[in-house]
């Protein structure tokens, strides 16, 4: 059987309400299918506009063998290009990020403008046309300051996700934020397990003391008024009525402040979820003491606010917008059992480190949580690798895990159909 036929056979075995077949998590063929086919057919979160703040700033987004240069032009526009020289193909940018007047290939010094046009190439034969040798563009979209790329020549629609997300994150004004800290953490687990772990808080009470002290577990697949019907019918149901009352009152307050939007939860096979949620225990930020980490508040906030806006996208990102800082997460597969989780904390561009914000205070909750989650994903991967693994059932609190799995399987089937394999 070909590799694609094997993937199609595994997808055929997949059962609703259950985790995936073993080899879709741990197999080398699935890793190659994911990175060479599936993830090239969807929009991926790469970074924010604040990563490329000034003209000439660039940032690399890498997926397996592909390296994409995201660069801000002199006109302020952010563009994306394949990081392969049009001469003999060398990688142009070697650094993860930087700032440059031109994109110059170190091999034979072909030089490109920030808009990708080839500007200089020495000693080429007569008739050589520079205009035919610009950098190959990659599709990129700016959604309220969050940058998404798609490696397909025919990217899927993005309009609804763009409108819904931008409508709520625009107030945080990412163009006027700066990257305060960025952590790259390579987790020893398949990327789908890292995503699944993010899509539920069934594990939070027992694993995330720092996180639940400021964020709570409700709103992440359970606890909202919108979740009540499923929760009430659950075997071993947990009573969420108190939180439903709390969020009802909070929503009235958000309406008064002009912050309220209805919950958006992966509508009509789209790939985004957006929820404003109350922080827990009187916290006004996702910090150890619940206090702001940066005294320069963001966007419309003139005083601390006890809520945060959370955005999740399939298949590789999540984001939390507090009144004083933003934290964004992107993940990319590195190997069948290794995943890069990139966490970026952003603050107001005017905030001064050591004066207005403190790195330790800003990062402590999510640094602790990321390490805990990396371990959970790792033991998940190890357990799935064994002969005793059988696809297991999701709890009602894990419906967002199932939504991720549905996204994965539906896009995988569609990709197989495009490649001529029945999905
Ligand atoms: Fe880039 Fe030759 S490969 S200049
Ligand atoms: Fe977690």
């Amino acid at each position: 059987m070909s590799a694609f036929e094997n993937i199609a056979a595994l997808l055929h075995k997949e059962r609703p309400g259950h985790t995936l077949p073993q080899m879709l998590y741990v197999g080398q063929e699935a890793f190659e299918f994911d990175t060479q086919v599936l993830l090239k057919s969807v929009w991926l979160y790469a970074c924010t506009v604040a990563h490329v703040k000034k003209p000439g700033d660039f940032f690399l987004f890498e997926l397996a063998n592909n390296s994409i240069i995201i660069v801000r032009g002199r006109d302020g526009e952010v563009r994306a290009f394949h990081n392969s020289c049009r001469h003999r193909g060398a990688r142009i940018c070697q650094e993860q990020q930087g700032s440059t007047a031109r994109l110059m290939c170190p091999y034979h010094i072909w030089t490109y403008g920030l808009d990708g046009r080839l500007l200089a190439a020495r000693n080429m034969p007569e008739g050589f046309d520079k205009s035919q040798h610009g950098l190959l563009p990659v599709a990129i979209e700016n959604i309220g300051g969050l940058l998404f790329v798609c490696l397909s020549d025919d990217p899927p629609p993005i309009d609804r996700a763009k409108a819904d997300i931008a409508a709520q994150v625009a107030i945080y004004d990412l163009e006027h934020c700066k990257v305060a800290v960025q952590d790259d953490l390579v987790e020893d687990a398949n990327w789908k397990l890292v995503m699944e772990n993010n899509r539920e808080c069934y594990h939070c009470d027992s694993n995330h003391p720092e996180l639940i002290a400021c964020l709570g577990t409700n709103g992440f697949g359970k606890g909202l008024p919108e979740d009540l019907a499923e929760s009430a019918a659950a075997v071993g149901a947990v009573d969420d009525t108190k939180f439903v009352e709390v969020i009802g009152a909070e929503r009235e307050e958000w309406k008064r402040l002009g912050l309220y939007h209805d919950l958006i939860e992966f509508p009509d096979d789209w790939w985004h979820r957006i929820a404003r949620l109350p922080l827990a225990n009187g916290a006004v930020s996702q910090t150890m003491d619940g206090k702001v980490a940066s005294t320069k508040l963001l966007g419309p906030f003139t005083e601390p606010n006890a809520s945060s806006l959370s955005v999740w996208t399939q298949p590789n990102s999540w984001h939390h917008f507090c009144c004083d800082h933003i934290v964004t997460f992107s993940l990319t597969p590195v190997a069948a059992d290794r995943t890069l989780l990139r966490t970026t904390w952003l603050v107001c561009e005017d905030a001064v480190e050591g004066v207005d914000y403190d790195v330790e205070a800003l990062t402590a909750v999510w640094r602790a949580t990321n390490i805990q989650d990396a371990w959970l994903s790792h033991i998940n991967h190890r357990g799935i690798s064994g002969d005793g693994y059988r696809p297991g059932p999701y709890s009602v609190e894990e419906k967002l895990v199932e939504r991720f799995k549905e996204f994965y399987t539906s896009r995988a089937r569609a990709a197989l159909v495009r490649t001529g394999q029945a999905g």
Side-chain angles (χ1 to χ4, degrees):
M1 271 210 287
S2 75
F4 284 171
E5 283 169 344
N6 287 341
I7 299 294
L10 288 166
L11 285 168
H12 201 66
K13 282 196 214 152
E14 175 266 324
R15 280 193 295 158
H18 289 72
T19 56
L20 290 168
Q22 179 187 47
M23 281 299 143
L24 284 179
Y25 289 119
V26 303
Q28 184 61 24
E29 280 180 344
F31 170 74
E32 278 161 24
F33 172 75
D34 289 355
T35 53
Q36 300 306 321
V37 181
L38 181 123
L39 291 174
K40 290 186 188 169
S41 72
V42 298
W43 288 96
L44 299 171
Y45 168 67
C47 61
T48 71
V49 289
H51 286 81
V52 286
K53 213 163 163 47
K54 301 184 303 300
D57 287 356
F58 68 87
F59 188 86
L60 298 189
F61 175 75
E62 305 196 290
L63 174 68
N65 53 312
N66 279 297
S67 175
I68 311 301
I69 308 169
I70 295 170
V71 60
R72 193 181 289 259
R74 292 189 196 290
D75 56 0
E77 212 36 49
V78 179
R79 300 179 177 85
F81 302 102
H82 283 281
N83 191 6
S84 291
C85 180
R86 293 296 307 280
H87 177 220
R88 281 170 50 204
R91 217 175 130 113
I92 298 164
C93 297
Q94 321 305 319
E95 304 296 325
Q96 168 63 47
Q97 57 188 308
S99 196
T100 184
R102 299 195 164 158
L103 295 166
M104 193 175 74
C105 178
Y107 201 170
H108 314 94
I109 320 297
W110 278 30
T111 304
Y112 303 86
L114 301 175
D115 58 2
R117 275 183 307 141
L118 178 61
L119 301 177
R122 284 171 300 125
N123 273 349
M124 295 305 291
E126 193 182 340
F128 172 72
D129 184 356
K130 283 201 299 228
S131 73
Q132 296 302 303
H133 293 84
L135 294 177
L136 287 187
V138 173
I140 183 165
E141 288 280 350
N142 178 350
I143 303 189
L146 304 173
L147 297 173
F148 290 76
V149 296
C150 180
L151 286 159
S152 168
D153 294 333
D154 182 21
I158 194 169
D159 52 331
R160 183 160 177 186
K162 187 170 180 172
D164 286 349
I165 297 171
Q168 297 199 52
V169 308
I171 60 167
Y172 293 88
D173 195 11
L174 268 160
E175 283 282 2
H176 291 103
C177 291
K178 67 174 179 182
V179 173
V181 187
Q182 181 166 294
D183 281 0
D184 282 1
L185 175 69
V186 176
E187 301 193 17
D188 291 324
N190 183 263
W191 71 278
K192 297 188 288 296
L193 295 172
V194 180
M195 279 301 293
E196 290 188 6
N197 174 261
N198 168 258
R199 294 296 138 106
E200 47 93 359
C201 228
Y202 196 38
H203 69 271
C204 293
D205 282 325
S206 47
N207 289 283
H208 293 320
E210 298 85 358
L211 186 67
I212 62 169
C214 61
L215 190 54
T217 62
N218 287 305
F220 300 89
K222 64 151 191 171
L224 296 180
E226 293 86 346
D227 299 321
L228 269 188
E230 288 145 299
S231 303
V235 177
V238 178
D239 184 6
D240 290 325
T241 47
K242 189 154 182 302
F243 181 76
V244 168
E245 276 170 32
V246 169
I247 197 168
E250 293 285 343
R251 286 175 169 179
E252 289 307 313
E253 174 65 5
W254 300 336
K255 281 179 190 159
R256 197 180 65 73
L257 294 170
L259 295 173
Y260 179 76
H261 290 259
D262 286 340
L263 172 73
I264 294 176
E265 191 155 280
F266 305 112
D268 301 333
D269 200 34
W270 277 83
W271 41 269
H272 56 291
R273 180 177 193 259
I274 314 168
R276 180 169 293 280
L277 297 169
L279 293 167
N281 301 315
V284 292
S285 189
Q286 293 173 12
T287 54
M288 291 290 197
D289 61 7
K291 297 185 179 139
V292 291
S294 174
T295 54
K296 291 261 191 297
L297 299 184
L298 298 177
F301 295 102
T302 52
E303 55 189 55
N305 183 278
S307 71
S308 59
L309 178 73
S310 297
V311 176
W312 297 260
T313 67
Q314 316 284 33
N316 84 320
S317 83
W318 58 97
H319 317 260
H320 300 293
F321 294 76
C322 298
C323 64
D324 65 322
H325 77 275
I326 300 163
V327 56
T328 82
F329 303 80
S330 76
L331 61 82
T332 39
V334 175
D337 59 355
R338 282 161 64 84
T339 301
L340 171 64
L341 175 71
R342 176 166 289 153
T343 309
T344 309
W345 290 264
L346 301 109
V347 296
C348 173
E349 64 185 0
D350 299 331
V352 177
E353 185 181 341
V355 178
D356 300 306
Y357 70 95
D358 174 70
V359 167
E360 171 60 25
L362 183 67
T363 57
V365 164
W366 279 107
R367 276 185 170 160
T369 305
N370 282 346
I371 289 168
Q372 293 150 1
D373 279 328
W375 182 75
L376 295 169
S377 298
H378 174 56
I379 61 167
N380 198 180
H381 189 108
R382 291 196 71 185
I384 288 174
S385 304
D387 291 348
Y389 171 70
R390 300 288 181 277
Y394 295 127
S395 75
V396 294
E397 290 186 43
E398 293 167 297
K399 63 178 184 172
L400 300 177
V401 183
E402 176 127 46
R403 299 306 297 269
F404 168 71
K405 193 191 80 163
E406 287 165 358
F407 178 90
Y408 176 79
T409 55
S410 67
R411 272 40 173 201
R413 290 188 177 107
L416 287 171
V417 168
R418 282 196 299 278
T419 58
Q421 299 291 326

